[in-house]
């Protein structure tokens, strides 16, 4: 009798992918609501099944082995197919309405594929979406005008799920003469959102601490306006890499380290709703590549 091929453990694959996306299996354990020892045991089990090491340490960071790189491609496809199958089977009866808001940074970079796939798989759930700035989204949640919102979290708030820490970056056009401004001691031109704005405040505070003069030369109500002003060479901005146009670059050497911002998924209430719980899970998974390990 031929021996049946061994099946890969889907939970172990999920921990493997989450750990590499997060850059830390301890952080992945928190997101998966499991103990660090349980996640480590799953990784060891997966390596035993594959008969080869999948992950190695390089300094303070995790790195895939050649076999790990090969498995990662299969793991993502297997998990996607597994999750799609479960959603299709379990979600046959999903219905209702979900009103979701999102920061503009994620409007193009993250949400279209998620909302489109969810809408196709669960047509009985009515989705409405809103792209806005942080304070407007928080206000809408408080007024029960939204059910969910993906936003920047500046302080811990009740009813929010922390997804991770998103690195901030100084962004400019390649032709912008940053060195010239710094050498002359001229005020650095900033392209920012109208106040109040979390990233605007982070930018000016970082420059003040470094004793670098600055002035606001362009303000916008929209992220597209920020990108357009940068592409015109009007100045620099501080944002995340989410949705970063290919024509712009990150400056990482000559300006103070800007730190990071937390990404959070906020809920208007804590009522249990299967459709909303599924959408929350999809959004949290899709946001992981944007966060630091």
């Amino acid at each position: 009798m031929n021996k049946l091929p061994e099946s890969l453990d889907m939970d172990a694959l999920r921990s493997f992918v989450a750990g590499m996306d997060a850059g830390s299996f301890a952080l992945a354990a928190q997101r998966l609501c499991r103990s660090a020892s349980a996640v480590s045991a799953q990784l060891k089990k997966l390596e035993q099944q594959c008969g080869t090491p999948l992950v190695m340490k390089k300094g303070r960071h995790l790195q895939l082995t050649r076999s790990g790189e090969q498995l990662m491609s299969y793991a993502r496809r297997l998990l996607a197919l597994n999750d799609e199958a479960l959603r299709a089977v379990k979600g046959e009866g999903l219905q209702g309405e979900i009103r979701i808001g999102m920061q503009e940074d994620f409007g193009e970079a993250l949400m279209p594929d998620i909302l489109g796939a969810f809408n196709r798989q669960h047509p009985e759930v009515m989705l409405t979406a809103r792209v806005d700035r942080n304070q407007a989204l928080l206000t809408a949640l408080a007024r029960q005008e939204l059910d969910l919102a993906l936003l920047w979290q500046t302080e811990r708030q009740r009813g929010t799920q922390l997804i991770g820490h998103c690195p901030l970056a100084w962004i400019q056009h390649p032709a912008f003469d940053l060195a010239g401004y710094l050498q002359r001691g001229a005020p650095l031109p900033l392209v920012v959102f109208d106040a109040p704005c979390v990233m605007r405040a982070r930018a000016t505070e970082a420059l003040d601490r470094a004793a670098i003069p600055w002035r606001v030369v362009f303000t916008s109500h929209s992220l597209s306006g920020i990108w357009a002003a940068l592409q015109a060479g009007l100045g620099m901005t501080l944002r995340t890499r989410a949705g970063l146009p290919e024509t712009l670059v990150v400056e990482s050497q000559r300006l103070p380290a800007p730190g990071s911002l937390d990404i959070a998924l906020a809920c208007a209430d804590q009522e249990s709703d299967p459709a909303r719980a599924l959408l929350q899970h999809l959004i949290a998974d899709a946001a992981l590549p944007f966060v630091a390990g």
Side-chain angles (χ1 to χ4, degrees), residues 198-239:
V198 175
M199 295 187 195
R200 174 178 176 151
R202 286 286 189 93
T204 57
E205 289 166 5
L207 293 174
D208 285 342
R209 286 195 302 271
I212 297 174
W214 55 270
R215 66 187 181 100
V216 172
V217 297
F218 183 91
T219 59
S220 175
H221 293 289
S222 70
L223 186 57
S224 60
I226 296 289
W227 296 144
L230 294 179
Q231 288 166 340
L234 298 186
M236 301 191 68
T237 197
L238 182 69
R239 299 211 65 78

Side-chain angles (χ1 to χ4, degrees), residues 45 64 67 109 129 167 193 213 239 255 293:
K45 178 180 179 181
L64 291 171
S67 297
F193 275 136
R239 299 211 65 78
L255 292 177

Side-chain angles (χ1 to χ4, degrees), residues 68-104:
E69 288 180 345
Q70 189 175 25
L71 179 63
M72 180 62 73
S73 174
Y74 286 107
R76 293 191 190 280
R77 287 152 54 194
L78 286 167
L79 289 170
L81 188 59
N82 175 83
D83 295 348
E84 181 181 338
L86 283 176
R87 288 196 298 270
V89 174
K90 291 184 175 181
E92 288 181 348
L94 291 184
Q95 56 185 336
E97 179 184 8
I98 304 176
R99 302 162 301 170
I100 181 169
M102 67 204 81
Q103 261 282 344
E104 194 170 3

